[in-house]
Amino acid sequence: MKKERKTLQFLIILLACAQALTWQGCTQEDTPMATPPAMPHTTYELHLHDTAATRVSVDENSYRFRWDAGDQITVWMGSDFDTAQPYAFSTADGGMGSAHFKYTGPETDNRTCFALYPANGQLTGHTLTWEVPATNIVQADFNQSRHLHHYRAMASNVVNRSESSATLPNLHFRQLTGLLIFRLTNNGERPRTISAIRIESTRHTFYTQGQCDAGSETATQTSGAVSAVSLKLGNGGLELPADKKTYMAYLPILPTADLQGAMLNVVIETPTGELNSFTLNGEEVGDADGNGKHDFAASYYYLFNLSLKESNLIWDMDNMVGWQEGETVEIPVD
């Protein structure tokens, strides 16, 4: 009996030792890996100011630079152009004439910086691709232009500095689209409901997709050619009062193909049909960039004065050139 008790005690000791080793092993395996220290985070700030070199958007009253709350831009930061990485900066308040953008993240070298807008465009490397649809651009009401920022792409210059800083230099943006402005005056005796404004060409001269390489400040490629583009007004149309006052509508467009030899029609659509359209020779569209082309170019306004009477549409067009360089843009009043 004594031997049995000794044997039993011996087995218990062995089992206890084995269990202790097992527990010890599990404890070692379950110990979490050491977490590496977090990289320091910095809030980078970008103050954009309305300068002669920057015309970012159109305000329906002053035609000045405007950002809207929630707007985002993609800013590349790095030691040089090739190593720069994209970061999304946003503005909480927007602003007229200036805006304050922020980004918070790991510290980064930003001796070189440049930007593209919109941040929600398709980015491939340093290339931004964005859409300006031929149809379904909708302006919610007369005299407002908040629908433009979805389609008006912009590119900034490249800034090189000797040192990094949490405050980035002011960037000068260039528009990559053009803008058609329609001034509508109802000189008839009754209100008219307008559902859309359409401009069409005798050949495929408008584009629906643009592409820009960061730092180039120009639309380097356009594609998706179509023969017509249009702007919808409201949900089913907007009423133009018979008060002889002027009401504004805005249609963003990509730079077009050369309009030499093309014929353009501008059509006012109503729920009951179309008002008499007018025809415009492509040669009448000014040589805005001095490149010998007759086209709707990037960074320019094109103003159409449209006077509606009972059954007629009287029109005039002015090329709005020079606004990007900071010259005063005067809106003609008939």
Side-chain angles (χ1 to χ4, degrees):
M1 295 295 294
K2 291 182 180 180
K3 288 184 179 180
E4 289 178 3
R5 283 198 297 271
K6 288 181 180 179
T7 302
L8 182 59
Q9 291 172 355
F10 180 67
L11 288 173
I12 291 173
I13 292 172
L14 286 178
L15 288 173
C17 291
Q19 191 172 32
L21 290 173
T22 302
W23 287 342
Q24 185 178 8
C26 291
T27 301
Q28 290 175 344
E29 290 178 2
D30 290 344
T31 301
M33 297 293 291
T35 302
M39 294 291 291
H41 275 55
T42 300
T43 296
Y44 295 95
E45 300 184 66
L46 175 60
H47 297 267
L48 297 181
H49 304 286
D50 193 3
T51 68
T54 295
R55 291 293 182 271
V56 174
S57 190
V58 56
D59 174 67
E60 54 269 15
N61 297 312
S62 66
Y63 294 89
R64 290 183 62 200
F65 160 111
R66 187 188 79 199
W67 292 102
D68 295 326
D71 272 350
Q72 288 189 327
I73 56 177
T74 299
V75 181
W76 275 262
M77 298 187 293
S79 58
D80 54 40
F81 185 90
D82 293 329
T83 61
Q85 296 296 315
Y87 303 88
F89 281 63
S90 62
T91 175
D93 303 317
M96 183 69 68
S98 64
H100 183 201
F101 285 80
K102 290 184 178 182
Y103 160 78
T104 300
E107 290 184 1
T108 185
D109 192 327
N110 56 38
R111 285 173 291 172
T112 295
C113 56
F114 48 93
L116 286 173
Y117 173 90
N120 59 356
Q122 178 183 339
L123 286 173
T124 304
H126 288 163
T127 301
L128 171 72
T129 301
W130 76 101
E131 302 285 337
V132 180
T135 59
N136 297 323
I137 296 179
V138 180
Q139 181 172 322
D141 201 355
F142 287 125
N143 303 328
Q144 65 89 4
S145 58
R146 293 188 179 276
H147 60 294
L148 295 180
H149 75 274
H150 296 293
Y151 312 110
R152 303 208 71 194
M154 297 170 282
S156 83
N157 56 329
V158 179
V159 176
N160 295 298
R161 310 182 289 176
S162 59
E163 296 181 355
S164 293
S165 172
T167 300
L168 305 186
N170 185 36
L171 299 175
H172 299 159
F173 280 89
R174 298 288 184 176
Q175 290 283 357
L176 303 177
T177 56
L179 182 65
L180 306 185
I181 303 178
F182 302 96
R183 296 176 72 248
L184 301 162
T185 305
N186 185 357
N187 286 310
E189 300 299 325
R190 60 187 175 87
R192 303 297 295 267
T193 298
I194 300 177
S195 54
I197 303 174
R198 186 174 77 251
I199 181 166
E200 53 191 23
S201 171
T202 51
R203 61 175 194 264
H204 285 54
T205 49
F206 297 95
Y207 296 106
T208 59
Q209 186 177 84
Q211 193 174 83
C212 175
D213 294 328
S216 68
E217 302 185 37
T218 58
T220 57
Q221 179 182 342
T222 49
S223 58
V226 295
S227 60
V229 292
S230 66
L231 171 69
K232 289 186 177 181
L233 294 170
N235 183 15
L238 296 176
E239 184 177 281
L240 190 66
D243 56 7
K244 296 180 173 54
K245 293 181 180 179
T246 297
Y247 296 84
M248 311 290 280
Y250 307 90
L251 176 62
I253 59 170
L254 284 164
T256 62
D258 197 323
L259 298 171
Q260 185 83 23
M263 299 296 290
L264 301 175
N265 288 328
V266 177
V267 181
I268 300 293
E269 300 180 10
T270 71
T272 57
E274 297 178 353
L275 296 184
N276 293 346
S277 64
F278 61 84
T279 301
L280 173 69
N281 290 323
E283 287 84 352
E284 295 184 59
V285 179
D287 178 15
D289 285 333
N291 56 10
K293 291 179 61 180
H294 295 273
D295 61 348
F296 291 119
S299 302
Y300 291 92
Y301 294 169
Y302 298 87
L303 179 64
F304 292 82
N305 296 304
L306 306 178
S307 177
L308 284 69
K309 293 190 176 180
E310 288 305 310
S311 59
N312 295 320
L313 179 62
I314 303 172
W315 69 279
D316 183 25
M317 188 191 83
D318 296 294
N319 289 347
M320 308 296 285
V321 299
W323 66 279
Q324 187 183 28
E325 285 69 37
E327 298 176 14
T328 300
V329 175
E330 295 183 356
I331 304 302
V333 177
D334 294 336

